[in-house]
Amino acid sequence: MLATRPSLFLYVKTYELAFLDPFTEASSESGNRQEAVIHIRIQQRNGRKTLTTVSGISDAYDKKKLVKVFKKQFACNGTVVEHPEHGEVIQLQGDKRNSICEFLLEINLAKKGQLKVHGF
């Protein structure tokens, strides 16, 4: 007679994997929107090259995570720089003013009246 081995059962715990949203920690604290005005400007570099700057975003939001999302969404390069007058400013390559406005409205970061677009 053959000896039977005890069956090995693997119990795997399943966890609900939440979608990582870069805006969740700020959204839970401030009611999903900020109150200050967001200024979106364009700066001429050399020739046809331009920079789009976004200033006035609340410190409750992680600007580096926002830049990462902007870079993927708009297929451009970007960074966060310290401006002496405006504080931390997001810089993106190219004229992305309209795209940024639509995106900020889409993710409920700001209302229509809170976005000020500057430039030529």
Side-chain angles (χ1 to χ4, degrees), residues 6 8 18 22 54 61 74 77 87 89 114:
L8 253 181
V54 182
Y61 295 97
F74 307 135
N77 198 9
V89 175
Q114 292 175 317

Side-chain angles (χ1 to χ4, degrees), residues 17-61:
L17 296 177
F19 175 71
L20 291 178
D21 188 10
F23 317 113
T24 53
E25 59 272 348
S27 297
S28 61
E29 296 172 5
S30 63
N32 203 21
R33 289 195 182 183
Q34 72 170 26
E35 300 301 323
V37 177
I38 298 175
H39 295 278
I40 302 169
R41 297 178 176 90
I42 189 167
Q43 295 178 354
Q44 189 73 31
R45 286 188 352 172
N46 47 357
R48 296 176 53 192
K49 307 288 183 180
T50 57
L51 276 179
T52 303
T53 61
V54 182
S55 61
I57 295 178
S58 174
D59 290 336
Y61 295 97

Side-chain angles (χ1 to χ4, degrees), residues 4-11:
T4 59
R5 289 187 184 170
S7 301
L8 253 181
F9 292 102
L10 296 176
Y11 295 102

